[in-house]
Amino acid sequence: MGFVGPEEGETGVRRATSKRMTDSWLMEQIQPMDLIKFGFIPEFIGRLPVVAVLEELDRDALVQILTKPKNSIIRQYQKLFEFENVRLKFTDEALEAVAALAMERKVGARGLRMILEDLMLDLMYYLPSYKKVREFLVTKEMVMTQKINMALLEKAG
């Protein structure tokens, strides 16, 4: 395909049995001529100054996206619940479960908000009627079942 990798035979042809021959490794090696051979027109390729390959985010990266930025999704929900005088907390396992769901559904970082919105919708609706609730902890079980445990709210409220 217009490139020769580090594990080549005597003829300069890559061995097909090599373990390093993965899709992501091959994508990293793409040259403009490869795209032309694949069917892209040269005028289009000339307008692409750089060909970049992106890999899927892993679970740790998704958890960081949930928690690290100044306006992260988790902080936005915590601020929203502060308006109701409730401190919202997530266990580490719950955050990892949200990231795992995003990976399982193959929705990436954009899907994190969708997963959390599905989870928090009932809580945002029912929480104002429970005036005694001052703190709510989201657990892994709640994330996996996508249901807020209303029994916890009833006990506290």
PDB file of all heavy atoms in Angstrom, residues 113-151:
ATOM      1  N   ARG A 113     -22.702  12.376  28.033  1.00  0.00           N
ATOM      2  CA  ARG A 113     -23.802  13.256  28.445  1.00  0.00           C
ATOM      3  C   ARG A 113     -25.139  12.535  28.289  1.00  0.00           C
ATOM      4  O   ARG A 113     -26.002  12.630  29.152  1.00  0.00           O
ATOM      5  CB  ARG A 113     -23.803  14.548  27.633  1.00  0.00           C
ATOM      6  CG  ARG A 113     -24.953  15.474  28.014  1.00  0.00           C
ATOM      7  CD  ARG A 113     -24.877  16.812  27.319  1.00  0.00           C
ATOM      8  NE  ARG A 113     -23.725  17.587  27.692  1.00  0.00           N
ATOM      9  CZ  ARG A 113     -23.634  18.343  28.791  1.00  0.00           C
ATOM     10  NH1 ARG A 113     -24.644  18.382  29.631  1.00  0.00           N
ATOM     11  NH2 ARG A 113     -22.551  19.036  29.048  1.00  0.00           N
ATOM     12  N   MET A 114     -25.314  11.809  27.199  1.00  0.00           N
ATOM     13  CA  MET A 114     -26.568  11.092  26.967  1.00  0.00           C
ATOM     14  C   MET A 114     -26.810  10.060  28.071  1.00  0.00           C
ATOM     15  O   MET A 114     -27.919   9.957  28.599  1.00  0.00           O
ATOM     16  CB  MET A 114     -26.509  10.381  25.611  1.00  0.00           C
ATOM     17  CG  MET A 114     -27.694   9.488  25.323  1.00  0.00           C
ATOM     18  SD  MET A 114     -27.444   8.431  23.895  1.00  0.00           S
ATOM     19  CE  MET A 114     -26.063   7.432  24.421  1.00  0.00           C
ATOM     20  N   ILE A 115     -25.779   9.330  28.446  1.00  0.00           N
ATOM     21  CA  ILE A 115     -25.903   8.311  29.485  1.00  0.00           C
ATOM     22  C   ILE A 115     -26.261   8.960  30.815  1.00  0.00           C
ATOM     23  O   ILE A 115     -27.152   8.499  31.537  1.00  0.00           O
ATOM     24  CB  ILE A 115     -24.608   7.483  29.583  1.00  0.00           C
ATOM     25  CG1 ILE A 115     -24.438   6.647  28.312  1.00  0.00           C
ATOM     26  CG2 ILE A 115     -24.614   6.605  30.819  1.00  0.00           C
ATOM     27  CD1 ILE A 115     -23.072   6.026  28.167  1.00  0.00           C
ATOM     28  N   LEU A 116     -25.586  10.050  31.155  1.00  0.00           N
ATOM     29  CA  LEU A 116     -25.880  10.735  32.417  1.00  0.00           C
ATOM     30  C   LEU A 116     -27.261  11.384  32.407  1.00  0.00           C
ATOM     31  O   LEU A 116     -27.942  11.399  33.430  1.00  0.00           O
ATOM     32  CB  LEU A 116     -24.805  11.768  32.720  1.00  0.00           C
ATOM     33  CG  LEU A 116     -23.505  11.191  33.268  1.00  0.00           C
ATOM     34  CD1 LEU A 116     -22.450  12.280  33.405  1.00  0.00           C
ATOM     35  CD2 LEU A 116     -23.731  10.511  34.595  1.00  0.00           C
ATOM     36  N   GLU A 117     -27.678  11.912  31.273  1.00  0.00           N
ATOM     37  CA  GLU A 117     -29.015  12.510  31.204  1.00  0.00           C
ATOM     38  C   GLU A 117     -30.091  11.453  31.429  1.00  0.00           C
ATOM     39  O   GLU A 117     -31.074  11.701  32.124  1.00  0.00           O
ATOM     40  CB  GLU A 117     -29.220  13.197  29.858  1.00  0.00           C
ATOM     41  CG  GLU A 117     -28.561  14.545  29.769  1.00  0.00           C
ATOM     42  CD  GLU A 117     -28.730  15.202  28.416  1.00  0.00           C
ATOM     43  OE1 GLU A 117     -29.356  14.601  27.515  1.00  0.00           O
ATOM     44  OE2 GLU A 117     -28.242  16.323  28.261  1.00  0.00           O
ATOM     45  N   ASP A 118     -29.909  10.277  30.838  1.00  0.00           N
ATOM     46  CA  ASP A 118     -30.867   9.194  31.059  1.00  0.00           C
ATOM     47  C   ASP A 118     -30.935   8.816  32.534  1.00  0.00           C
ATOM     48  O   ASP A 118     -32.003   8.543  33.071  1.00  0.00           O
ATOM     49  CB  ASP A 118     -30.491   7.956  30.236  1.00  0.00           C
ATOM     50  CG  ASP A 118     -30.727   8.146  28.757  1.00  0.00           C
ATOM     51  OD1 ASP A 118     -31.429   9.110  28.389  1.00  0.00           O
ATOM     52  OD2 ASP A 118     -30.204   7.340  27.973  1.00  0.00           O
ATOM     53  N   LEU A 119     -29.787   8.812  33.184  1.00  0.00           N
ATOM     54  CA  LEU A 119     -29.712   8.430  34.592  1.00  0.00           C
ATOM     55  C   LEU A 119     -30.306   9.503  35.506  1.00  0.00           C
ATOM     56  O   LEU A 119     -31.043   9.208  36.443  1.00  0.00           O
ATOM     57  CB  LEU A 119     -28.249   8.162  34.970  1.00  0.00           C
ATOM     58  CG  LEU A 119     -27.963   7.777  36.402  1.00  0.00           C
ATOM     59  CD1 LEU A 119     -28.582   6.424  36.712  1.00  0.00           C
ATOM     60  CD2 LEU A 119     -26.466   7.737  36.637  1.00  0.00           C
ATOM     61  N   MET A 120     -30.013  10.757  35.217  1.00  0.00           N
ATOM     62  CA  MET A 120     -30.375  11.850  36.123  1.00  0.00           C
ATOM     63  C   MET A 120     -31.778  12.389  35.916  1.00  0.00           C
ATOM     64  O   MET A 120     -32.283  13.137  36.754  1.00  0.00           O
ATOM     65  CB  MET A 120     -29.387  13.013  35.955  1.00  0.00           C
ATOM     66  CG  MET A 120     -27.995  12.697  36.376  1.00  0.00           C
ATOM     67  SD  MET A 120     -27.934  12.598  38.156  1.00  0.00           S
ATOM     68  CE  MET A 120     -26.795  11.296  38.354  1.00  0.00           C
ATOM     69  N   LEU A 121     -32.434  12.023  34.831  1.00  0.00           N
ATOM     70  CA  LEU A 121     -33.744  12.596  34.527  1.00  0.00           C
ATOM     71  C   LEU A 121     -34.749  12.381  35.647  1.00  0.00           C
ATOM     72  O   LEU A 121     -35.386  13.324  36.128  1.00  0.00           O
ATOM     73  CB  LEU A 121     -34.275  12.013  33.213  1.00  0.00           C
ATOM     74  CG  LEU A 121     -35.572  12.622  32.714  1.00  0.00           C
ATOM     75  CD1 LEU A 121     -35.374  14.098  32.392  1.00  0.00           C
ATOM     76  CD2 LEU A 121     -36.061  11.873  31.494  1.00  0.00           C
ATOM     77  N   ASP A 122     -34.899  11.142  36.120  1.00  0.00           N
ATOM     78  CA  ASP A 122     -35.840  10.863  37.208  1.00  0.00           C
ATOM     79  C   ASP A 122     -35.439  11.575  38.493  1.00  0.00           C
ATOM     80  O   ASP A 122     -36.300  12.101  39.209  1.00  0.00           O
ATOM     81  CB  ASP A 122     -35.936   9.358  37.462  1.00  0.00           C
ATOM     82  CG  ASP A 122     -36.656   8.633  36.341  1.00  0.00           C
ATOM     83  OD1 ASP A 122     -37.416   9.294  35.613  1.00  0.00           O
ATOM     84  OD2 ASP A 122     -36.460   7.417  36.204  1.00  0.00           O
ATOM     85  N   LEU A 123     -34.155  11.592  38.769  1.00  0.00           N
ATOM     86  CA  LEU A 123     -33.672  12.230  39.993  1.00  0.00           C
ATOM     87  C   LEU A 123     -33.971  13.730  39.967  1.00  0.00           C
ATOM     88  O   LEU A 123     -34.426  14.295  40.968  1.00  0.00           O
ATOM     89  CB  LEU A 123     -32.182  11.973  40.171  1.00  0.00           C
ATOM     90  CG  LEU A 123     -31.566  12.460  41.467  1.00  0.00           C
ATOM     91  CD1 LEU A 123     -32.216  11.792  42.665  1.00  0.00           C
ATOM     92  CD2 LEU A 123     -30.068  12.204  41.463  1.00  0.00           C
ATOM     93  N   MET A 124     -33.746  14.363  38.837  1.00  0.00           N
ATOM     94  CA  MET A 124     -34.021  15.797  38.742  1.00  0.00           C
ATOM     95  C   MET A 124     -35.523  16.082  38.875  1.00  0.00           C
ATOM     96  O   MET A 124     -35.916  17.140  39.351  1.00  0.00           O
ATOM     97  CB  MET A 124     -33.507  16.359  37.411  1.00  0.00           C
ATOM     98  CG  MET A 124     -31.999  16.427  37.343  1.00  0.00           C
ATOM     99  SD  MET A 124     -31.376  17.277  35.886  1.00  0.00           S
ATOM    100  CE  MET A 124     -31.868  16.193  34.580  1.00  0.00           C
ATOM    101  N   TYR A 125     -36.342  15.137  38.470  1.00  0.00           N
ATOM    102  CA  TYR A 125     -37.791  15.324  38.554  1.00  0.00           C
ATOM    103  C   TYR A 125     -38.300  15.118  39.984  1.00  0.00           C
ATOM    104  O   TYR A 125     -39.106  15.896  40.479  1.00  0.00           O
ATOM    105  CB  TYR A 125     -38.481  14.350  37.593  1.00  0.00           C
ATOM    106  CG  TYR A 125     -39.977  14.470  37.612  1.00  0.00           C
ATOM    107  CD1 TYR A 125     -40.626  15.529  36.993  1.00  0.00           C
ATOM    108  CD2 TYR A 125     -40.754  13.513  38.247  1.00  0.00           C
ATOM    109  CE1 TYR A 125     -42.000  15.644  37.004  1.00  0.00           C
ATOM    110  CE2 TYR A 125     -42.135  13.613  38.264  1.00  0.00           C
ATOM    111  CZ  TYR A 125     -42.749  14.675  37.651  1.00  0.00           C
ATOM    112  OH  TYR A 125     -44.114  14.783  37.666  1.00  0.00           O
ATOM    113  N   TYR A 126     -37.830  14.058  40.645  1.00  0.00           N
ATOM    114  CA  TYR A 126     -38.360  13.702  41.966  1.00  0.00           C
ATOM    115  C   TYR A 126     -37.665  14.401  43.130  1.00  0.00           C
ATOM    116  O   TYR A 126     -38.256  14.570  44.189  1.00  0.00           O
ATOM    117  CB  TYR A 126     -38.272  12.188  42.183  1.00  0.00           C
ATOM    118  CG  TYR A 126     -39.252  11.422  41.347  1.00  0.00           C
ATOM    119  CD1 TYR A 126     -38.824  10.603  40.323  1.00  0.00           C
ATOM    120  CD2 TYR A 126     -40.614  11.527  41.579  1.00  0.00           C
ATOM    121  CE1 TYR A 126     -39.729   9.901  39.544  1.00  0.00           C
ATOM    122  CE2 TYR A 126     -41.533  10.833  40.813  1.00  0.00           C
ATOM    123  CZ  TYR A 126     -41.079  10.023  39.793  1.00  0.00           C
ATOM    124  OH  TYR A 126     -41.971   9.343  39.025  1.00  0.00           O
ATOM    125  N   LEU A 127     -36.439  14.792  42.970  1.00  0.00           N
ATOM    126  CA  LEU A 127     -35.665  15.332  44.088  1.00  0.00           C
ATOM    127  C   LEU A 127     -36.278  16.574  44.744  1.00  0.00           C
ATOM    128  O   LEU A 127     -36.275  16.675  45.968  1.00  0.00           O
ATOM    129  CB  LEU A 127     -34.230  15.615  43.653  1.00  0.00           C
ATOM    130  CG  LEU A 127     -33.260  15.886  44.772  1.00  0.00           C
ATOM    131  CD1 LEU A 127     -33.118  14.654  45.660  1.00  0.00           C
ATOM    132  CD2 LEU A 127     -31.920  16.279  44.225  1.00  0.00           C
ATOM    133  N   PRO A 128     -36.842  17.523  44.012  1.00  0.00           N
ATOM    134  CA  PRO A 128     -37.401  18.712  44.694  1.00  0.00           C
ATOM    135  C   PRO A 128     -38.527  18.395  45.672  1.00  0.00           C
ATOM    136  O   PRO A 128     -38.749  19.147  46.620  1.00  0.00           O
ATOM    137  CB  PRO A 128     -37.921  19.565  43.531  1.00  0.00           C
ATOM    138  CG  PRO A 128     -37.085  19.172  42.378  1.00  0.00           C
ATOM    139  CD  PRO A 128     -36.816  17.712  42.561  1.00  0.00           C
ATOM    140  N   SER A 129     -39.213  17.261  45.503  1.00  0.00           N
ATOM    141  CA  SER A 129     -40.297  16.933  46.431  1.00  0.00           C
ATOM    142  C   SER A 129     -39.780  16.337  47.739  1.00  0.00           C
ATOM    143  O   SER A 129     -40.524  16.234  48.705  1.00  0.00           O
ATOM    144  CB  SER A 129     -41.290  15.974  45.768  1.00  0.00           C
ATOM    145  OG  SER A 129     -40.649  14.765  45.445  1.00  0.00           O
ATOM    146  N   TYR A 130     -38.516  15.965  47.793  1.00  0.00           N
ATOM    147  CA  TYR A 130     -37.905  15.428  49.021  1.00  0.00           C
ATOM    148  C   TYR A 130     -37.037  16.523  49.634  1.00  0.00           C
ATOM    149  O   TYR A 130     -35.852  16.650  49.334  1.00  0.00           O
ATOM    150  CB  TYR A 130     -37.062  14.192  48.710  1.00  0.00           C
ATOM    151  CG  TYR A 130     -37.874  13.030  48.210  1.00  0.00           C
ATOM    152  CD1 TYR A 130     -37.960  12.760  46.846  1.00  0.00           C
ATOM    153  CD2 TYR A 130     -38.557  12.202  49.081  1.00  0.00           C
ATOM    154  CE1 TYR A 130     -38.711  11.695  46.369  1.00  0.00           C
ATOM    155  CE2 TYR A 130     -39.304  11.139  48.614  1.00  0.00           C
ATOM    156  CZ  TYR A 130     -39.375  10.895  47.258  1.00  0.00           C
ATOM    157  OH  TYR A 130     -40.121   9.843  46.800  1.00  0.00           O
ATOM    158  N   LYS A 131     -37.613  17.304  50.497  1.00  0.00           N
ATOM    159  CA  LYS A 131     -36.924  18.470  51.060  1.00  0.00           C
ATOM    160  C   LYS A 131     -35.816  18.103  52.042  1.00  0.00           C
ATOM    161  O   LYS A 131     -34.903  18.879  52.254  1.00  0.00           O
ATOM    162  CB  LYS A 131     -37.931  19.394  51.758  1.00  0.00           C
ATOM    163  CG  LYS A 131     -39.001  19.924  50.844  1.00  0.00           C
ATOM    164  CD  LYS A 131     -38.421  20.883  49.848  1.00  0.00           C
ATOM    165  CE  LYS A 131     -39.526  21.470  48.982  1.00  0.00           C
ATOM    166  NZ  LYS A 131     -39.035  22.129  47.815  1.00  0.00           N
ATOM    167  N   LYS A 132     -35.904  16.923  52.676  1.00  0.00           N
ATOM    168  CA  LYS A 132     -34.915  16.552  53.686  1.00  0.00           C
ATOM    169  C   LYS A 132     -33.635  15.975  53.093  1.00  0.00           C
ATOM    170  O   LYS A 132     -32.644  15.831  53.792  1.00  0.00           O
ATOM    171  CB  LYS A 132     -35.504  15.539  54.659  1.00  0.00           C
ATOM    172  CG  LYS A 132     -36.616  16.115  55.518  1.00  0.00           C
ATOM    173  CD  LYS A 132     -37.120  15.106  56.501  1.00  0.00           C
ATOM    174  CE  LYS A 132     -38.251  15.683  57.334  1.00  0.00           C
ATOM    175  NZ  LYS A 132     -38.822  14.679  58.225  1.00  0.00           N
ATOM    176  N   VAL A 133     -33.626  15.646  51.830  1.00  0.00           N
ATOM    177  CA  VAL A 133     -32.435  15.063  51.192  1.00  0.00           C
ATOM    178  C   VAL A 133     -31.406  16.164  51.001  1.00  0.00           C
ATOM    179  O   VAL A 133     -31.676  17.182  50.371  1.00  0.00           O
ATOM    180  CB  VAL A 133     -32.785  14.409  49.841  1.00  0.00           C
ATOM    181  CG1 VAL A 133     -31.537  13.884  49.156  1.00  0.00           C
ATOM    182  CG2 VAL A 133     -33.787  13.296  50.037  1.00  0.00           C
ATOM    183  N   ARG A 134     -30.237  15.977  51.584  1.00  0.00           N
ATOM    184  CA  ARG A 134     -29.158  16.956  51.476  1.00  0.00           C
ATOM    185  C   ARG A 134     -27.965  16.426  50.687  1.00  0.00           C
ATOM    186  O   ARG A 134     -27.124  17.193  50.252  1.00  0.00           O
ATOM    187  CB  ARG A 134     -28.680  17.400  52.864  1.00  0.00           C
ATOM    188  CG  ARG A 134     -29.713  18.168  53.617  1.00  0.00           C
ATOM    189  CD  ARG A 134     -29.892  19.536  52.985  1.00  0.00           C
ATOM    190  NE  ARG A 134     -31.090  20.181  53.505  1.00  0.00           N
ATOM    191  CZ  ARG A 134     -32.060  20.639  52.753  1.00  0.00           C
ATOM    192  NH1 ARG A 134     -32.018  20.523  51.461  1.00  0.00           N
ATOM    193  NH2 ARG A 134     -33.117  21.216  53.269  1.00  0.00           N
ATOM    194  N   GLU A 135     -27.893  15.128  50.525  1.00  0.00           N
ATOM    195  CA  GLU A 135     -26.775  14.527  49.803  1.00  0.00           C
ATOM    196  C   GLU A 135     -27.277  13.276  49.095  1.00  0.00           C
ATOM    197  O   GLU A 135     -28.054  12.508  49.656  1.00  0.00           O
ATOM    198  CB  GLU A 135     -25.654  14.162  50.785  1.00  0.00           C
ATOM    199  CG  GLU A 135     -24.404  13.661  50.104  1.00  0.00           C
ATOM    200  CD  GLU A 135     -23.273  13.499  51.094  1.00  0.00           C
ATOM    201  OE1 GLU A 135     -22.857  14.513  51.691  1.00  0.00           O
ATOM    202  OE2 GLU A 135     -22.823  12.363  51.258  1.00  0.00           O
ATOM    203  N   PHE A 136     -26.831  13.084  47.855  1.00  0.00           N
ATOM    204  CA  PHE A 136     -27.231  11.902  47.109  1.00  0.00           C
ATOM    205  C   PHE A 136     -25.992  11.296  46.468  1.00  0.00           C
ATOM    206  O   PHE A 136     -25.209  11.997  45.824  1.00  0.00           O
ATOM    207  CB  PHE A 136     -28.271  12.249  46.036  1.00  0.00           C
ATOM    208  CG  PHE A 136     -28.891  11.032  45.437  1.00  0.00           C
ATOM    209  CD1 PHE A 136     -29.945  10.394  46.062  1.00  0.00           C
ATOM    210  CD2 PHE A 136     -28.412  10.509  44.253  1.00  0.00           C
ATOM    211  CE1 PHE A 136     -30.510   9.262  45.514  1.00  0.00           C
ATOM    212  CE2 PHE A 136     -28.975   9.383  43.695  1.00  0.00           C
ATOM    213  CZ  PHE A 136     -30.027   8.753  44.328  1.00  0.00           C
ATOM    214  N   LEU A 137     -25.843   9.994  46.645  1.00  0.00           N
ATOM    215  CA  LEU A 137     -24.682   9.278  46.126  1.00  0.00           C
ATOM    216  C   LEU A 137     -25.126   8.369  44.980  1.00  0.00           C
ATOM    217  O   LEU A 137     -25.995   7.516  45.156  1.00  0.00           O
ATOM    218  CB  LEU A 137     -24.035   8.437  47.239  1.00  0.00           C
ATOM    219  CG  LEU A 137     -22.789   7.654  46.847  1.00  0.00           C
ATOM    220  CD1 LEU A 137     -21.642   8.616  46.531  1.00  0.00           C
ATOM    221  CD2 LEU A 137     -22.389   6.717  47.972  1.00  0.00           C
ATOM    222  N   VAL A 138     -24.530   8.562  43.813  1.00  0.00           N
ATOM    223  CA  VAL A 138     -24.819   7.723  42.651  1.00  0.00           C
ATOM    224  C   VAL A 138     -23.829   6.564  42.664  1.00  0.00           C
ATOM    225  O   VAL A 138     -22.620   6.772  42.729  1.00  0.00           O
ATOM    226  CB  VAL A 138     -24.691   8.528  41.337  1.00  0.00           C
ATOM    227  CG1 VAL A 138     -24.940   7.642  40.136  1.00  0.00           C
ATOM    228  CG2 VAL A 138     -25.649   9.701  41.349  1.00  0.00           C
ATOM    229  N   THR A 139     -24.358   5.356  42.614  1.00  0.00           N
ATOM    230  CA  THR A 139     -23.520   4.154  42.693  1.00  0.00           C
ATOM    231  C   THR A 139     -23.457   3.441  41.350  1.00  0.00           C
ATOM    232  O   THR A 139     -24.211   3.753  40.419  1.00  0.00           O
ATOM    233  CB  THR A 139     -24.082   3.185  43.746  1.00  0.00           C
ATOM    234  OG1 THR A 139     -25.378   2.761  43.328  1.00  0.00           O
ATOM    235  CG2 THR A 139     -24.157   3.837  45.115  1.00  0.00           C
ATOM    236  N   LYS A 140     -22.582   2.459  41.294  1.00  0.00           N
ATOM    237  CA  LYS A 140     -22.405   1.665  40.082  1.00  0.00           C
ATOM    238  C   LYS A 140     -23.694   0.931  39.708  1.00  0.00           C
ATOM    239  O   LYS A 140     -24.044   0.842  38.530  1.00  0.00           O
ATOM    240  CB  LYS A 140     -21.272   0.658  40.288  1.00  0.00           C
ATOM    241  CG  LYS A 140     -21.024  -0.230  39.103  1.00  0.00           C
ATOM    242  CD  LYS A 140     -19.914  -1.220  39.375  1.00  0.00           C
ATOM    243  CE  LYS A 140     -19.724  -2.139  38.183  1.00  0.00           C
ATOM    244  NZ  LYS A 140     -18.655  -3.101  38.406  1.00  0.00           N
ATOM    245  N   GLU A 141     -24.395   0.422  40.717  1.00  0.00           N
ATOM    246  CA  GLU A 141     -25.625  -0.315  40.451  1.00  0.00           C
ATOM    247  C   GLU A 141     -26.667   0.570  39.777  1.00  0.00           C
ATOM    248  O   GLU A 141     -27.390   0.136  38.888  1.00  0.00           O
ATOM    249  CB  GLU A 141     -26.198  -0.915  41.750  1.00  0.00           C
ATOM    250  CG  GLU A 141     -25.347  -2.011  42.354  1.00  0.00           C
ATOM    251  CD  GLU A 141     -24.109  -1.492  43.079  1.00  0.00           C
ATOM    252  OE1 GLU A 141     -24.129  -0.324  43.567  1.00  0.00           O
ATOM    253  OE2 GLU A 141     -23.125  -2.233  43.137  1.00  0.00           O
ATOM    254  N   MET A 142     -26.753   1.825  40.206  1.00  0.00           N
ATOM    255  CA  MET A 142     -27.693   2.752  39.597  1.00  0.00           C
ATOM    256  C   MET A 142     -27.340   3.008  38.136  1.00  0.00           C
ATOM    257  O   MET A 142     -28.227   3.099  37.286  1.00  0.00           O
ATOM    258  CB  MET A 142     -27.713   4.067  40.369  1.00  0.00           C
ATOM    259  CG  MET A 142     -28.294   3.966  41.741  1.00  0.00           C
ATOM    260  SD  MET A 142     -28.205   5.578  42.533  1.00  0.00           S
ATOM    261  CE  MET A 142     -28.485   5.114  44.221  1.00  0.00           C
ATOM    262  N   VAL A 143     -26.055   3.123  37.861  1.00  0.00           N
ATOM    263  CA  VAL A 143     -25.621   3.369  36.487  1.00  0.00           C
ATOM    264  C   VAL A 143     -25.903   2.156  35.615  1.00  0.00           C
ATOM    265  O   VAL A 143     -26.405   2.287  34.492  1.00  0.00           O
ATOM    266  CB  VAL A 143     -24.120   3.731  36.448  1.00  0.00           C
ATOM    267  CG1 VAL A 143     -23.621   3.824  35.018  1.00  0.00           C
ATOM    268  CG2 VAL A 143     -23.860   5.024  37.191  1.00  0.00           C
ATOM    269  N   MET A 144     -25.612   0.972  36.134  1.00  0.00           N
ATOM    270  CA  MET A 144     -25.791  -0.239  35.332  1.00  0.00           C
ATOM    271  C   MET A 144     -27.266  -0.517  35.036  1.00  0.00           C
ATOM    272  O   MET A 144     -27.607  -0.984  33.962  1.00  0.00           O
ATOM    273  CB  MET A 144     -25.148  -1.443  36.015  1.00  0.00           C
ATOM    274  CG  MET A 144     -23.639  -1.314  36.193  1.00  0.00           C
ATOM    275  SD  MET A 144     -22.761  -0.902  34.680  1.00  0.00           S
ATOM    276  CE  MET A 144     -22.793  -2.459  33.851  1.00  0.00           C
ATOM    277  N   THR A 145     -28.145  -0.238  35.990  1.00  0.00           N
ATOM    278  CA  THR A 145     -29.580  -0.474  35.767  1.00  0.00           C
ATOM    279  C   THR A 145     -30.263   0.738  35.143  1.00  0.00           C
ATOM    280  O   THR A 145     -31.417   0.635  34.737  1.00  0.00           O
ATOM    281  CB  THR A 145     -30.290  -0.821  37.087  1.00  0.00           C
ATOM    282  OG1 THR A 145     -30.127   0.265  37.999  1.00  0.00           O
ATOM    283  CG2 THR A 145     -29.745  -2.104  37.687  1.00  0.00           C
ATOM    284  N   GLN A 146     -29.561   1.887  35.099  1.00  0.00           N
ATOM    285  CA  GLN A 146     -30.102   3.146  34.586  1.00  0.00           C
ATOM    286  C   GLN A 146     -31.358   3.570  35.347  1.00  0.00           C
ATOM    287  O   GLN A 146     -32.274   4.155  34.784  1.00  0.00           O
ATOM    288  CB  GLN A 146     -30.393   3.045  33.085  1.00  0.00           C
ATOM    289  CG  GLN A 146     -29.155   3.047  32.222  1.00  0.00           C
ATOM    290  CD  GLN A 146     -28.450   4.388  32.213  1.00  0.00           C
ATOM    291  OE1 GLN A 146     -29.034   5.400  31.910  1.00  0.00           O
ATOM    292  NE2 GLN A 146     -27.185   4.391  32.568  1.00  0.00           N
ATOM    293  N   LYS A 147     -31.400   3.246  36.631  1.00  0.00           N
ATOM    294  CA  LYS A 147     -32.529   3.628  37.484  1.00  0.00           C
ATOM    295  C   LYS A 147     -31.985   4.196  38.791  1.00  0.00           C
ATOM    296  O   LYS A 147     -31.093   3.622  39.398  1.00  0.00           O
ATOM    297  CB  LYS A 147     -33.399   2.412  37.802  1.00  0.00           C
ATOM    298  CG  LYS A 147     -33.990   1.744  36.590  1.00  0.00           C
ATOM    299  CD  LYS A 147     -35.476   2.001  36.539  1.00  0.00           C
ATOM    300  CE  LYS A 147     -36.102   1.170  35.451  1.00  0.00           C
ATOM    301  NZ  LYS A 147     -36.397   1.894  34.276  1.00  0.00           N
ATOM    302  N   ILE A 148     -32.559   5.287  39.213  1.00  0.00           N
ATOM    303  CA  ILE A 148     -32.218   5.867  40.510  1.00  0.00           C
ATOM    304  C   ILE A 148     -33.005   5.109  41.571  1.00  0.00           C
ATOM    305  O   ILE A 148     -34.199   4.858  41.415  1.00  0.00           O
ATOM    306  CB  ILE A 148     -32.563   7.369  40.547  1.00  0.00           C
ATOM    307  CG1 ILE A 148     -31.684   8.128  39.553  1.00  0.00           C
ATOM    308  CG2 ILE A 148     -32.423   7.932  41.942  1.00  0.00           C
ATOM    309  CD1 ILE A 148     -30.200   8.081  39.866  1.00  0.00           C
ATOM    310  N   ASN A 149     -32.351   4.766  42.655  1.00  0.00           N
ATOM    311  CA  ASN A 149     -32.993   4.026  43.729  1.00  0.00           C
ATOM    312  C   ASN A 149     -33.879   4.980  44.531  1.00  0.00           C
ATOM    313  O   ASN A 149     -33.412   5.730  45.374  1.00  0.00           O
ATOM    314  CB  ASN A 149     -31.915   3.388  44.616  1.00  0.00           C
ATOM    315  CG  ASN A 149     -32.483   2.388  45.576  1.00  0.00           C
ATOM    316  OD1 ASN A 149     -33.694   2.317  45.775  1.00  0.00           O
ATOM    317  ND2 ASN A 149     -31.612   1.608  46.171  1.00  0.00           N
ATOM    318  N   MET A 150     -35.165   4.950  44.237  1.00  0.00           N
ATOM    319  CA  MET A 150     -36.112   5.853  44.910  1.00  0.00           C
ATOM    320  C   MET A 150     -36.286   5.498  46.385  1.00  0.00           C
ATOM    321  O   MET A 150     -36.679   6.342  47.173  1.00  0.00           O
ATOM    322  CB  MET A 150     -37.470   5.821  44.211  1.00  0.00           C
ATOM    323  CG  MET A 150     -37.437   6.420  42.833  1.00  0.00           C
ATOM    324  SD  MET A 150     -36.870   8.113  42.899  1.00  0.00           S
ATOM    325  CE  MET A 150     -36.651   8.448  41.189  1.00  0.00           C
ATOM    326  N   ALA A 151     -35.975   4.250  46.754  1.00  0.00           N
ATOM    327  CA  ALA A 151     -36.083   3.878  48.154  1.00  0.00           C
ATOM    328  C   ALA A 151     -35.120   4.684  49.006  1.00  0.00           C
ATOM    329  O   ALA A 151     -35.429   5.058  50.138  1.00  0.00           O
ATOM    330  CB  ALA A 151     -35.800   2.379  48.322  1.00  0.00           C
TER     331      ALA A 151
END
